[in-house]
Amino acid sequence: MRIRALLGGLLLLAMTLQAWAAADVNGVRLWRAPDNTRLVFDLSAPVQHSIFTLTAPDRLVIDVKGASLKTALDGMPLDNTPITGVRSAQYDAQTLRVVIDLSAQVSPKSFSLPPNQQYGHRLVVDLFDQNAPAQRSPAPPATATSSTPNAPVSPTLPASKLPVLPSSKRDIVIAIDAGHGGEDPGAIGPGRIFEKHVVLQISRELQRQINADKGFRAELVRTGDYFIPLRKRTEIARKKGADLFVSIHADAAPRAAAFGASVFALSDRGATSETARWLADSENRSDLIGGAGNVSLGDKDQMLAGVLLDLSMTASLASSLNVGQKVLSNMGNITPLHKRRVEQAGFMVLKSPDIPSILVETGFISNPSEAKKLQTSSHQQALARSIHSGVRQFFHENPPPGTYIAWMRDSGKIASGPREHVVRAGESLAILAQRYQVSLAALRSANNLKGDTIKVGQTLKIPATTLAAQP
């Protein structure tokens, strides 16, 4: 039995070695991001590899075991990258060596990826810039960092976003995240329409429209065709001082008949798990509640930190649902809706405890009719206009203190119109009256309520009145 087992093991090892030796490098692709360059080697089979750097001159060496080069390495778009050339040679009988000539030192990282719906086996090599310029992670403008500690905090915005001096009149910052990118094409529609291209076009149009609106500034999280990890997307938004995070996508479904736009906010379960994750990371926790690491929670009670985080997440989620419903209602005027209410799911990009966040599915790219519309500039403009309208409505009603829009409203130049609120678990009429600064009597009257009983999921109209004495 032992001999049989040994022979079986040797046979398996031989088959494995044969598999490693059978790999072809069939293609090389390059993606440039603001702070790194990604090289992707398309393979016919998995490979073993190693990398190391050399200096004088700067080079990166990639040794790939049992591989054979079946593609040309020239013709890649090397502009705006630290790569000046790529060459290869057979280092020994079992090793393909690829040498990347560099104009500057980089910090390399490499890993293998298994096949997916779009690609086969891949070897990914990321070259992170060293001493990159400051625009890679821009800080919020100086006016957004001044604060008045005792100033009132907007009831519908996270408490962790400290108000600024009224005289600063800063812009409201909207972070627009075009989904997918680079190696990740997203959903693929008829005629090989890539989601990553469509949503970037919509995002750029949305940025243009928002930036034309005085008092608002839009920042793109992804400015080109490159990949950004999900958590880094929210980090970029935070470093830009975002008041709202909007992720733009185009849905796909097995049935080509599926259609309609959707808006998502974070689920309650996702909010709970994310709060726990932040609490477990003391560095993240202090960075979050301090605004930018200004207040360390190292000497604070764990329960206090938990309460503060929970309040921040609750306020952020309430604002997300509020702005999401406004965006969805406006989108319903120009395109069919998949669901008429904001849906909730545990999307990673929605898990920022301090920034209200929504994910907008602009339509089903898997639906031939919707895919065709999503490619047209007129429909992209209309979609951007509807998202912009919903965002503007939300912030005209709930401007962060110290912003130009808050100053306009307080000066009577922007009317605080009627609002809507979808009741969530744990909320009462008294809590909502306090949150929206209206009287209980006005809230009852606006909704034809005889008492103070409300139900989860019920939509309430919030009257545009100032807080009066409670009856």
Side-chain angles (χ1 to χ4, degrees):
M1 291 294 292
R2 287 185 177 180
I3 295 177
R4 183 177 297 176
L6 180 60
L7 289 174
L10 290 173
L11 178 60
L12 179 61
L13 177 61
M15 292 174 63
T16 303
L17 291 174
Q18 185 178 10
W20 286 116
D24 291 333
V25 179
N26 292 321
V28 184
R29 289 170 287 122
L30 181 146
W31 313 99
R32 177 61 187 171
D35 63 350
N36 71 87
T37 303
R38 168 166 287 191
L39 282 165
V40 181
F41 295 85
D42 291 309
L43 308 167
S44 62
V47 295
Q48 291 179 323
H49 77 283
S50 62
I51 64 172
F52 59 92
T53 57
L54 297 171
T55 58
D58 292 316
R59 288 153 291 163
L60 175 72
V61 178
I62 308 168
D63 283 342
V64 187
K65 295 292 184 182
S68 177
L69 186 65
K70 300 294 185 181
T71 186
L73 295 178
D74 54 357
M76 285 185 288
L78 302 181
D79 292 344
N80 195 34
T81 77
I83 302 174
T84 59
V86 182
R87 47 200 169 90
S88 69
Q90 201 69 32
Y91 180 68
D92 58 36
Q94 295 295 322
T95 307
L96 170 67
R97 171 162 288 186
V98 177
V99 179
I100 299 174
D101 297 310
L102 301 167
S103 60
Q105 292 185 355
V106 297
S107 298
K109 177 183 176 182
S110 64
F111 53 93
S112 297
L113 288 176
N116 61 13
Q117 294 180 342
Q118 176 70 9
Y119 300 110
H121 291 281
R122 286 153 291 161
L123 170 59
V124 179
V125 180
D126 286 330
L127 310 178
F128 293 94
D129 301 344
Q130 292 188 3
N131 302 319
Q135 73 262 19
R136 190 176 65 186
S137 302
T143 55
T145 59
S146 304
S147 62
T148 305
N150 297 321
V153 178
S154 175
T156 58
L157 288 174
S160 63
K161 296 190 73 66
L162 298 178
V164 296
L165 291 171
S167 59
S168 66
K169 301 184 184 65
R170 71 171 178 88
D171 288 338
I172 293 172
V173 181
I174 314 299
I176 306 171
D177 170 46
H180 308 281
E183 180 68 8
D184 175 15
I188 302 175
R192 295 186 62 77
I193 304 167
F194 288 0
E195 177 184 1
K196 66 175 183 177
H197 296 318
V198 170
V199 298
L200 182 58
Q201 291 165 357
I202 296 172
S203 296
R204 285 172 171 162
E205 174 60 23
L206 178 58
Q207 181 193 37
R208 186 192 68 79
Q209 292 185 20
I210 289 176
N211 284 342
D213 195 355
K214 185 172 175 58
F216 291 86
R217 187 176 83 252
E219 297 278 0
L220 290 180
V221 172
R222 175 169 73 88
T223 58
D225 186 14
Y226 52 87
F227 176 78
I228 303 177
L230 296 178
R231 283 204 184 275
K232 187 174 180 182
R233 292 171 187 256
T234 55
E235 291 173 10
I236 291 172
R238 185 172 294 111
K239 289 173 181 176
K240 290 179 180 292
D243 297 286
L244 176 68
F245 180 90
V246 181
S247 191
I248 307 295
H249 288 256
D251 218 339
R255 296 183 303 107
F259 69 94
S262 306
V263 176
F264 287 84
L266 184 62
S267 66
D268 294 323
R269 180 178 296 180
T272 301
S273 64
E274 189 65 8
T275 299
R277 191 190 75 85
W278 277 83
L279 277 171
D281 188 328
S282 59
E283 182 179 350
N284 280 344
R285 187 170 76 239
S286 61
D287 182 68
L288 173 66
I289 299 180
N294 297 322
V295 180
S296 172
L297 293 184
D299 59 346
K300 299 299 190 298
D301 182 81
Q302 181 78 358
M303 183 175 292
L304 172 60
V307 170
L308 290 172
L309 265 176
D310 189 57
L311 286 172
S312 180
M313 181 65 88
T314 300
S316 179
L317 184 52
S319 295
S320 301
L321 291 167
N322 190 343
V323 68
Q325 193 61 50
K326 285 177 168 52
V327 167
L328 190 65
S329 297
N330 279 274
M331 292 183 74
N333 295 328
I334 59 99
T335 192
L337 298 180
H338 190 63
K339 294 285 180 64
R340 303 204 69 84
R341 287 193 180 278
V342 177
E343 300 177 74
Q344 292 181 259
F347 290 115
M348 185 69 72
V349 292
L350 300 179
K351 291 187 175 183
S352 182
D354 54 332
I355 308 174
S357 306
I358 59 173
L359 186 148
V360 179
E361 294 281 8
T362 53
F364 279 82
I365 202 168
S366 54
N367 181 302
S369 177
E370 289 202 335
K372 185 176 181 180
K373 285 199 304 181
L374 284 169
Q375 293 181 91
T376 65
S377 59
S378 59
H379 191 62
Q380 290 175 0
Q381 290 170 7
L383 285 170
R385 194 178 307 115
S386 65
I387 298 170
H388 177 204
S389 296
V391 169
R392 180 201 287 148
Q393 288 171 13
F394 171 77
F395 280 112
H396 277 196
E397 295 170 5
N398 310 282
T403 60
Y404 175 81
I405 301 301
W407 175 79
M408 289 284 286
R409 188 194 65 174
D410 295 342
S411 303
K413 299 178 181 180
I414 294 179
S416 179
R419 293 162 283 181
E420 289 186 348
H421 177 88
V422 179
V423 178
R424 294 170 47 78
E427 293 179 334
S428 67
L429 205 65
I431 289 175
L432 295 178
Q434 184 179 15
R435 178 183 299 171
Y436 288 103
Q437 298 185 330
V438 297
S439 69
L440 272 171
L443 201 51
R444 293 190 201 104
S445 176
N447 294 279
N448 298 317
L449 298 175
K450 295 182 179 179
D452 293 347
T453 302
I454 54 178
K455 298 178 180 179
V456 174
Q458 181 179 355
T459 300
L460 297 177
K461 295 179 180 179
I462 310 297
T465 57
T466 58
L467 185 63
Q470 300 294 320

